[in-house]
Amino acid sequence: MNNNNPVNLPPLSVSILGVEPLDEFIREIADFVHHMIMSRPNVGPEARVEVEAKVGVLRDKTSNTRLMLPVLVETILAPNDSDLRFETNMSAAQHKHYNTLLNQLQQQSREPSHPSSPLGYKHVKLVDLFYASENPRDREKIRITQDEKTGTVLEVMTKIRLGDLNIYCPKRTADWRISVNLEVPVPGNIFRRLSPFKPAGPPTHTRKKDRICYSHEEFNIDLTQVTTTTSPNSPPEVTHELELEIARPPLLLFTASRRGDMNAPEHERNAFDELIRSFVNNARILVKNASDGWH
């Protein structure tokens, strides 16, 4: 056999050790999310950890232009850069573009030849009402979420922001941000007078959310038109957002608790990183398919 023949393409090992090193990008995000979860404040057993990725644009606060860095590929930025802001509002045309793509994917996913699990779909219309907390030291507002059609109260909670991680994508028309939050239920239903919290006045602002929800395995993709009203005399502001969320907080907490635990089975030790890997892959696909249409 002529080993110099370029047509001879022998199989290659993934490395000199025969194993593939963990992707540093995935590892950095997994470390960040894991740290946020494990160091979260203890605000009660009912608090839910929320991990989400939003598609948007990173802008320089001074120039208001999109961030420009001397890098060629997707890059994780150090947290807490005060010179940047992240804008999630897309144009109505961009919203329609994503709606069309996701609807097509949802239909194709039902075909036997589709390489992945089928996507779920539902359309919901919600109203969020925000009230100041009775404790003036609390920065977080109390949010009441209702079904827009029936007025049924679905949840009453506050959201505590734990941390954000920005990802800059120079080859794409959009960037993305990972956020880790705590959602803390407020006991009872204030409309039934079962809660110690009773609104002292009208809400500080309201948000109507016309949301299309796509679900796939352990993830939800929400495409939402948000109409925000801050006062009776001010015109409503309409924005459009796309976000990806890990669907089951209990799974997230369980896998985080087993990460690196040598007493746990190997598949449990690695489950958190695999969950984050799929989460990142889905976020990248959404960003890759963005079109020009960011305000």
Side-chain angles (χ1 to χ4, degrees):
M1 179 181 293
N2 182 2
N3 290 331
N4 293 321
N5 186 348
V7 180
N8 247 345
L9 298 176
L12 296 176
S13 301
V14 293
S15 73
I16 57 175
L17 297 178
V19 295
E20 187 170 2
L22 184 64
D23 185 293
E24 193 175 60
F25 188 98
I26 303 287
R27 181 59 179 265
E28 186 66 31
I29 291 176
D31 286 348
F32 170 80
V33 174
H34 188 261
H35 175 71
M36 291 293 107
I37 291 173
M38 302 309 289
S39 62
R40 69 190 187 281
N42 182 7
V43 290
E46 299 301 318
R48 301 196 303 259
V49 176
E50 176 190 62
V51 176
E52 64 182 7
K54 289 191 174 184
V55 180
V57 172
L58 287 164
R59 293 191 184 276
D60 182 280
K61 283 185 177 179
T62 304
S63 66
N64 200 38
T65 58
R66 188 184 177 191
L67 182 65
M68 297 285 289
L69 296 178
V71 296
L72 297 177
V73 295
E74 183 183 50
T75 301
I76 301 171
L77 305 184
N80 304 319
D81 189 333
S82 59
D83 295 328
L84 299 176
R85 74 169 181 272
F86 182 74
E87 294 185 356
T88 59
N89 184 24
M90 65 178 78
S91 67
Q94 176 77 283
H95 181 103
K96 183 179 180 180
H97 166 75
Y98 271 120
N99 189 199
T100 300
L101 288 178
L102 290 166
N103 283 345
Q104 289 175 347
L105 180 60
Q106 195 269 335
Q107 293 169 4
Q108 293 167 0
S109 71
R110 297 181 176 183
E111 300 295 328
S113 59
H114 189 71
S116 184
S117 307
L119 270 71
Y121 171 94
K122 66 178 179 179
H123 190 173
V124 298
K125 293 187 177 182
L126 307 171
V127 179
D128 289 339
L129 300 97
F130 292 86
Y131 295 89
S133 171
E134 290 180 325
N135 186 346
R137 296 181 181 179
D138 290 342
R139 296 177 56 189
E140 292 78 20
K141 294 184 181 298
I142 293 176
R143 185 188 77 204
I144 303 169
T145 300
Q146 298 174 278
D147 182 284
E148 183 181 38
K149 183 177 180 180
T150 66
T152 302
V153 174
L154 304 176
E155 57 185 15
V156 183
M157 66 170 51
T158 60
K159 179 181 281 194
I160 301 173
R161 175 184 169 187
L162 300 182
D164 300 317
L165 204 58
N166 292 320
I167 294 93
Y168 170 60
C169 304
K171 283 185 163 58
R172 310 298 178 198
T173 59
D175 309 303
W176 52 295
R177 165 181 280 185
I178 295 171
S179 297
V180 184
N181 306 297
L182 270 181
E183 294 186 327
V184 185
V186 176
N189 181 330
I190 66 170
F191 293 105
R192 296 179 181 174
R193 303 181 184 278
L194 297 178
S195 169
F197 168 72
K198 295 181 177 63
T204 59
H205 64 285
T206 64
R207 292 190 313 190
K208 291 186 177 181
K209 297 187 293 190
D210 186 347
R211 172 169 289 172
I212 302 172
C213 307
Y214 305 87
S215 57
H216 182 257
E217 297 178 358
E218 298 298 339
F219 308 98
N220 293 328
I221 299 171
D222 293 336
L223 184 61
T224 310
Q225 176 178 284
V226 182
T227 303
T228 302
T229 303
T230 54
S231 71
N233 299 323
S234 62
E237 179 187 9
V238 178
T239 57
H240 301 85
E241 298 178 352
L242 178 65
E243 64 186 26
L244 166 74
E245 184 177 352
I246 296 177
R248 291 197 293 158
L251 174 70
L252 186 65
L253 294 183
F254 174 79
T255 56
S257 69
R258 293 294 191 273
R259 190 190 193 209
D261 183 354
M262 298 310 295
N263 294 319
E266 184 178 3
H267 72 280
E268 291 185 5
R269 292 200 305 270
N270 298 330
F272 181 82
D273 289 79
E274 288 304 308
L275 183 66
I276 298 300
R277 183 195 300 273
S278 295
F279 176 74
V280 169
N281 286 343
N282 285 324
R284 283 170 159 170
I285 287 170
L286 293 174
V287 171
K288 181 180 178 181
N289 283 279
S291 62
D292 291 327
W294 298 92
H295 293 303

